[in-house]
Amino acid sequence: MDFNVKRLAADAGTLFSRAVQFTEEKFGQAEKTELDAHLENLLTRAECTKQWTEKILKQTEVLLQPNPNVRIEEFFYEKLDKKVPTRMNNHELLGESMIDSGNESGPGTAYGNALIKCGETEKQIGGAEREFIQSSAINFLTPFRNFLEGDFKTILKERKLLQNKRLDLDAAKTKLKKAKMADARALVILSLNILLLFSNAVQMWAEEVTKAEQDLKMTQSEFDRQAEITRLLLEGISSTHAHHLRCLNDFVEAQMTYYAQCYQYMVDLQKQLGNFPSAFSSNNNQSTASGGASVSLPILPLSTPFPSSKGNASSGFTELQNFTGSRKARVLYDYDAAGSNELSLLADEVIMVSCVPGMDSDWLMGERGTQKGKVPITYLELLN
């Protein structure tokens, strides 16, 4: 085997010197070079960033996938660099069960039809959830993991090197101090003319002092260089914070899109189910007549918009429906027209609205310049 014996011996000596210096520091028998306050603050901030990044990452993973067994399975697939098998989420499973049950009950019946519509909506929500999870994994989780597994590991590596260079520097200081003390003692003995042989010892210790001074100069230079490298890496934490802030904005936007989609799906489903209670009553006249309770589905007020401190002027809409004029209304949320007879809306724009006889009470006729079409009341706020 081809290896450098001198290099191996030198490395072993360096490791031993560091171990001795570290041990003596722990027992208070050796001086320790302290890092400057700015570098210490940077190290503290980096460690704090690492700890909170780990906590946020863990809790986000729990939010996106509450099942710990599935999380462990996905972790192993990721480590093996294999694609995670596609599986239906809870909303999609519920949707499948509802659709199958509706088909079994009969799509032509009110209950069967309602089950199918509910199942289709649950599957839509499941699809929106899947998109939200994928978007969050790419734009939020991945950058956080990259910091922990990449940038911060580099910081740890350079910080360890800085610690080693600091131990080498302090060991060199200790060595120089001991050499100077020995040289001084030899000079005292020689000055007393006790032993002429000590002249050789004085020369030897003088050479030892010179070598120790050279070692100290070299280790000081290496320590300063490593401290500068570590400082530059730690100052990059500010850029990491800025990047994580952009990732946080992406995560919030993905959540907002997901919840808005879910809300719109449920509003549409509620409108479809709004016709079923009367159908149930007509289909169950016999059971009602025999004393059984008629089946009805609870219907939430469709005039309730997304949670907002501004509220909705329901009294204004009632007033508008009682005369044939038009009123100005401000759009609360973006709305994409589902058909050619509807009007797409942009949040905060002002349009003219009017009530058309025979139109569904949840809709108004909207006008924007030459454009005209149905608009949902839940997206509007009447202006005085």
Side-chain angles (χ1 to χ4, degrees), residues 24-84:
E24 290 180 348
E25 289 175 0
K26 288 296 183 182
F27 286 99
Q29 298 174 354
E31 296 182 358
K32 176 181 177 181
T33 299
E34 299 293 340
L35 302 177
D36 64 83
H38 177 61
L39 189 57
E40 287 285 4
N41 290 335
L42 290 176
L43 286 168
T44 301
R45 186 175 70 151
E47 185 64 31
C48 185
T49 300
K50 175 250 186 183
Q51 292 176 357
W52 283 109
T53 300
E54 287 179 334
K55 291 182 179 180
I56 293 172
L57 180 65
K58 180 180 179 181
Q59 292 303 319
T60 305
E61 289 174 341
V62 172
L63 171 69
L64 299 178
Q65 178 50 263
N67 190 327
N69 295 327
V70 176
R71 287 203 305 274
I72 294 175
E73 181 183 351
E74 291 177 350
F75 172 79
F76 281 115
Y77 272 104
E78 180 181 349
K79 291 302 178 183
L80 296 174
D81 198 20
K82 290 186 178 182
K83 184 178 179 181
V84 179

Side-chain angles (χ1 to χ4, degrees), residues 109-129:
T109 65
Y111 180 54
N113 195 4
L115 278 174
I116 293 174
K117 291 185 180 298
C118 289
E120 291 172 347
T121 300
E122 291 294 338
K123 293 186 71 173
Q124 284 180 311
I125 293 176
E129 179 184 345

Side-chain angles (χ1 to χ4, degrees), residues 140 242-255:
F140 189 66
H243 183 212
H244 286 183
L245 175 59
R246 292 192 295 271
C247 296
L248 186 62
N249 286 332
D250 292 339
F251 179 63
V252 171
E253 184 176 349
Q255 275 189 308

